[in-house]
């Protein structure tokens, strides 16, 4: 049974006696935190790649260099695909699917950067604005996965983009989310070339709890020809 199926059957299992409120809370949490986040990020990644054939080719080369045949990449193989990881990082920089985050400083008054904040101040972090700061990310509106590669270039400040939050309340699903997206993107790019629908135009983002496109994106998945070594 799938992990989702397991969870649902445990939640409704007489043995555990969860209240209906707990069942509703857990299911909506699972769908919002665990599904809408990764599915919308995948959509943004595919949209960005569809508009950038060079980046798409670089990703295809990165994946096919490591992954032969139809297999699912192992964790070690994914680690040998730096461009694949960079595409997801850059997608989350441009479209941080959880666009805001907040923290309540409950314990003490604090001074940050010369500014005084009394205790119980709520700080709201706008990931979208932070990760579009041109002092940290030159040409912030441009999709440039290369900026994340460890190839001797100066990499951006790691706090310039923290789409999974940070610290003890950071995203608990981060590793699962990254693994899912890396595996799905590696598979998709191996099988298909992704093309935009020219009638759709520039897609904008809207905040609907998570960052979603303002229209249907209608990508075209064009099947790739198998090379002779893969027949
Ligand atoms: C692209 C994928 C995802 C992104 C960008 C993302 C982002 C975030 C962010 C920003 C937070 C708040 C962190 C903070 O306050 O510092 C969070 C919390 C959380 N995420 Fe994710 N998330 C993703 C996928 C997932 C998945 C797949 C799951 C579950 C399998 C998940 C489960 C959770 C849970 C349970 C919390 C609450 C943690 C807590 O309050 O202690 N997330 N996520």
């Amino acid at each position: 049974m799938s992990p989702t199926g397991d969870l649902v059957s445990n939640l409704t299992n007489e043995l555990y006696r969860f209240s209906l409120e707990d069942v509703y809370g857990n299911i909506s949490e699972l769908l919002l935190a665990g599904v809408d986040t990764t599915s919308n990020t995948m959509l943004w990644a595919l949209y960005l790649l569809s508009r950038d054939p060079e980046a798409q080719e670089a990703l295809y080369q990165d994946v096919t260099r490591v992954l032969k045949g139809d297999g699912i990449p192992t964790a070690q193989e994914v680690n040998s695909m730096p461009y694949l990881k960079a595409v997801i990082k850059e997608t989350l920089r441009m479209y941080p699917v959880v666009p805001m985050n907040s923290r309540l400083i409950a314990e003490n008054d604090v001074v940050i950067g010369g500014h005084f904040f009394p205790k119980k101040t709520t700080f709201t972090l706008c990931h979208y604005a932070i990760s579009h700061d041109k002092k940290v990310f030159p040409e912030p509106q441009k999709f440039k996965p290369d900026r994340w590669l460890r190839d001797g270039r100066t990499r951006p400040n790691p706090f310039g983009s923290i789409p999974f939050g940070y610290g003890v309340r950071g995203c608990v699903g981060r590793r699962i989310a990254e693994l899912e997206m890396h595996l799905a993107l590696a598979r998709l790019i191996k099988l298909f070339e992704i093309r935009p629908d020219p009638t759709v135009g520039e897609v904008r983002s809207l905040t609907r709890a998570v960052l979603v496109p303002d229209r249907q994106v209608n990508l075209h998945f064009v099947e790739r020809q198998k090379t002779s070594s893969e027949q």
Side-chain angles (χ1 to χ4, degrees):
M1 195 183 278
S2 72
T4 316
D6 278 345
L7 180 81
V8 174
S9 48
N10 282 340
L11 281 173
T12 49
N13 191 324
E14 293 264 306
L15 265 177
Y16 299 110
R17 309 227 168 139
F18 284 108
S19 68
L20 203 55
E21 203 179 11
D22 281 344
V23 175
Y24 287 157
N26 273 277
I27 296 295
S28 39
E29 180 89 345
L30 180 76
L31 292 178
L32 180 75
V35 178
D36 291 357
T37 49
T38 43
S39 55
N40 280 291
T41 305
M42 281 300 293
L43 185 144
W44 287 119
L46 295 170
Y47 166 70
L48 288 164
L49 288 164
S50 74
R51 292 158 46 96
D52 190 334
E54 250 178 62
Q56 195 172 155
E57 180 58 22
L59 175 60
Y60 179 69
Q61 294 303 333
D62 194 46
V63 171
T64 49
R65 183 177 44 79
V66 178
L67 192 60
K68 308 291 174 205
D70 280 343
I72 297 171
T74 61
Q76 210 173 6
E77 283 171 332
V78 170
N79 280 337
S80 310
M81 298 175 190
Y83 202 84
L84 173 71
K85 291 182 164 192
V87 165
I88 295 295
K89 272 180 105 65
E90 182 67 346
T91 302
L92 282 167
R93 179 193 72 77
M94 293 187 71
Y95 297 103
V97 74
V98 178
M100 298 238 213
N101 216 174
S102 60
R103 286 286 186 277
L104 178 70
I105 307 291
E107 302 279 306
N108 298 305
D109 299 345
V110 286
V111 176
I112 302 173
H115 300 278
F116 172 79
F117 299 95
K119 66 178 171 189
K120 298 202 173 144
T121 300
T122 301
F123 287 86
T124 301
L125 239 113
C126 181
H127 291 290
Y128 190 94
I130 293 170
S131 62
H132 283 77
D133 182 349
K134 59 174 181 288
K135 289 198 261 22
V136 184
F137 301 103
E139 298 185 279
Q141 306 296 347
K142 240 177 148 185
F143 177 57
K144 295 208 291 190
D146 294 54
R147 56 173 118 228
W148 296 102
L149 298 178
R150 292 172 200 267
D151 56 0
R153 274 177 273 202
T154 324
R155 295 177 82 221
N157 182 326
F159 283 94
S161 172
I162 46 166
F164 292 97
Y166 188 73
V168 287
R169 294 305 297 270
C171 177
V172 285
R174 176 175 185 169
R175 298 290 171 219
I176 294 178
E178 287 177 333
L179 182 67
E180 276 181 354
M181 295 187 294
H182 292 149
L183 295 184
L185 190 55
R187 185 98 184 113
L188 281 172
I189 206 70
K190 247 204 119 183
L191 295 176
F192 304 101
E193 198 183 311
I194 298 129
R195 299 209 188 129
D197 177 339
T199 63
V200 167
E202 177 110 9
V203 177
R204 291 176 182 277
S205 56
L206 295 177
T207 301
R208 294 268 189 274
V210 293
L211 217 59
V212 297
D214 68 348
R215 67 196 75 179
Q216 263 195 294
V217 182
N218 288 345
L219 297 169
H220 294 202
F221 289 80
V222 183
E223 211 166 333
R224 292 183 191 270
Q225 299 298 317
K226 280 196 172 178
T227 60
S228 51
S229 63
E230 289 175 335
Q231 302 287 333

